Amino acid sequence: IQRKSHPLEESSILIYPSRESLTSQTLDNGKPSLALKLLSNSIPPTEIIPQNIPLDILYEDEYMIVINKQAGMVVHPAAGNWDGTVVNALSYYLANESPYGAGEFFSSGDNVVNNQSTGKEAEDFDVGNELMKDDDEDDGFNKNDINQNDAVTNSIPTLRPGIVHRLDKGTTGVLVVAKTQAALATLSEAFADRRVKKQYLAVAIGNPGEDTINKPIERHPLHRQKMRVVPDPSSSMPRQIRLTGPRPVKQGRPALSYVKTLHFDGKLSIVQIRIATGRTHQIRVHLQDRGTPIYGDDVYGLSDWNKGLSAKRGVSRPLLHAQRLEIGHPVTGEKMVFEAKVADDMMGVMEGIWPGDEMKALFG
């Protein structure tokens, strides 16, 4: 199959059918065709549908809300996940149940999402024909870190009301969401300027020890949904070129992680990770490069180990948890520290690695 590219002029307008018009079309047996189902999954909704999905709320006031994101939830609507997201849940909760009000992005009693893009945050979202990145460990949105498979979603900022940073679908833990335009701008700036302290827990295969990992990350040249550590050009370079000097190559984006093994049982480790940057899949990529991938990671991990985890415990996700986040309040500037309880599936694995009261006292 040969794919052809059809570049568009800046003034071009892309027209596509609505999801509703596609899903309303049926075959003779009354069921929608597979082609229509697949196509409808690529077309965004015209509005965010509020959904009464339980949220584990760690903190809330008039300006921000902080939750412990559950595994399996995407942060905001995107291709393949147009509903069932954190944003869908917040749309319902803030408009109907919040004691602090709906904020500026959701109107009480309906599902209208107000325009959120102003100031610096609007600049970060204005990516033109570039595309936003995948779900990441923990970073503010940045037009230089792009998802090359989600142009439609990235052109619609109203699908991301108040979202300051994201966590991967399988990652649990602390997630901060703004409720006002001013709070969104302030919190986004704090992430962009690296004024946020972030700490994670992971279960890793092997023992990564205690070290600083300072290796840049780039998108994989062949597998565009994956990231990788930028290869050291000198390691595979002929001696003559090493002596004369290589041609300039793309260096990726700087990525800095601090890893510390808290306990190792001979096979698996409980690892604490602090990140000074927040590149896409940073922790997962850095631990993979070290030869100690995250247990359960079907993208960067070891398939045989992952199958064992699924068979023994019914867990089919990377065991990665955003445990702690420290950030200044967007209005008062007060230092705020949020900690999220480890999910039961991950805690069960951790108890097997580090039995006894010491681990439970730290993370139980």
Side-chain angles (χ1 to χ4, degrees):
I1 299 175
Q2 183 177 7
R3 300 179 63 182
K4 295 184 179 181
S5 176
H6 301 280
L8 299 176
E9 300 290 339
E10 290 186 4
S11 59
S12 298
I13 299 176
L14 180 63
I15 300 176
Y16 47 85
S18 68
R19 298 177 74 237
E20 292 77 9
S21 66
L22 286 173
T23 54
S24 65
Q25 299 180 43
T26 60
L27 300 175
D28 293 338
N29 61 7
K31 297 181 179 180
S33 69
L34 177 61
L36 290 178
K37 284 183 178 180
L38 294 174
L39 184 56
S40 66
N41 285 337
S42 301
I43 297 176
T46 55
E47 60 187 14
I48 291 175
I49 301 173
Q51 293 177 291
N52 188 6
I53 303 171
L55 292 169
D56 182 1
I57 298 173
L58 303 176
Y59 175 84
E60 183 186 5
D61 61 20
E62 297 89 343
Y63 312 103
M64 63 189 292
I65 183 169
V66 184
I67 69 169
N68 180 4
K69 189 187 85 66
Q70 303 303 299
M73 285 189 79
V74 174
V75 173
H76 63 75
N81 295 278
W82 293 123
D83 57 18
T85 71
V86 171
V87 165
N88 293 104
L90 285 173
S91 177
Y92 179 90
Y93 168 78
L94 292 177
N96 297 282
E97 298 180 354
S98 172
Y100 298 96
E104 296 178 358
F105 302 125
F106 299 99
S107 300
S108 298
D110 56 39
N111 58 354
V112 175
V113 180
N114 300 315
N115 193 322
Q116 70 166 341
S117 298
T118 59
K120 174 178 171 53
E121 190 274 334
E123 180 182 341
D124 289 341
F125 276 113
D126 185 16
V127 295
N129 290 326
E130 292 185 343
L131 315 175
M132 295 279 289
K133 62 187 173 182
D134 299 339
D135 292 320
D136 60 353
E137 264 94 45
D138 197 356
D139 203 359
F141 290 111
N142 190 303
K143 62 185 177 182
N144 295 317
D145 228 353
I146 58 177
N147 174 6
Q148 306 205 12
N149 298 281
D150 201 6
V152 174
T153 303
N154 297 326
S155 66
I156 309 175
T158 53
L159 294 180
R160 307 181 298 270
I163 298 301
V164 179
H165 66 124
R166 290 182 286 194
L167 297 174
D168 286 335
K169 182 177 181 179
T171 303
T172 57
V174 181
L175 182 74
V176 178
V177 181
K179 292 175 62 175
T180 68
Q181 297 277 8
L184 178 61
T186 301
L187 293 170
S188 298
E189 186 175 12
F191 272 88
D193 293 344
R194 310 299 176 197
R195 289 184 278 110
V196 182
K197 295 181 180 179
K198 298 159 284 186
Q199 181 173 294
Y200 289 75
L201 283 177
V203 175
I205 300 171
N207 184 5
E210 182 173 358
D211 201 1
T212 298
I213 305 176
N214 188 4
K215 293 187 176 183
I217 289 174
E218 66 179 3
R219 190 167 295 279
H220 197 287
L222 299 178
H223 308 288
R224 302 302 290 172
Q225 291 291 335
K226 296 178 63 174
M227 307 299 289
R228 69 172 186 177
V229 165
V230 177
D232 182 357
S234 63
S235 62
S236 59
M237 193 179 300
R239 181 174 184 276
Q240 182 178 358
I241 297 179
R242 288 202 300 268
L243 293 174
T244 58
R247 292 180 298 174
V249 295
K250 184 179 178 182
Q251 296 300 312
R253 302 190 69 198
L256 182 59
S257 304
Y258 304 94
V259 301
K260 180 181 180 181
T261 296
L262 302 178
H263 194 84
F264 178 52
D265 70 355
K267 294 181 179 180
L268 298 171
S269 298
I270 298 174
V271 186
Q272 183 182 82
I273 309 104
R274 292 182 296 110
I275 56 176
T277 54
R279 307 306 178 205
T280 302
H281 300 171
Q282 175 175 322
I283 296 173
R284 297 163 66 186
V285 171
H286 271 172
L287 287 178
Q288 178 206 36
D289 181 74
R290 198 171 183 80
T292 56
I294 293 178
Y295 199 19
D297 193 334
D298 63 352
V299 177
Y300 302 102
L302 301 177
S303 59
D304 289 345
W305 286 76
N306 297 341
K307 290 176 183 177
L309 176 63
S310 178
K312 293 177 182 178
R313 295 185 174 271
V315 178
S316 300
R317 71 172 183 93
L319 293 180
L320 178 63
H321 177 67
Q323 180 207 6
R324 177 186 170 98
L325 186 144
E326 181 179 320
I327 192 171
H329 190 278
V331 175
T332 67
E334 176 188 359
K335 183 177 78 172
M336 310 285 286
V337 178
F338 305 106
E339 293 190 0
K341 183 180 178 181
V342 177
D344 290 341
D345 59 352
M346 182 169 173
M347 180 59 75
V349 176
M350 291 170 59
E351 288 173 347
I353 300 169
W354 191 358
D357 297 334
E358 185 178 0
M359 190 276 293
K360 292 181 180 178
L362 288 173
F363 309 116

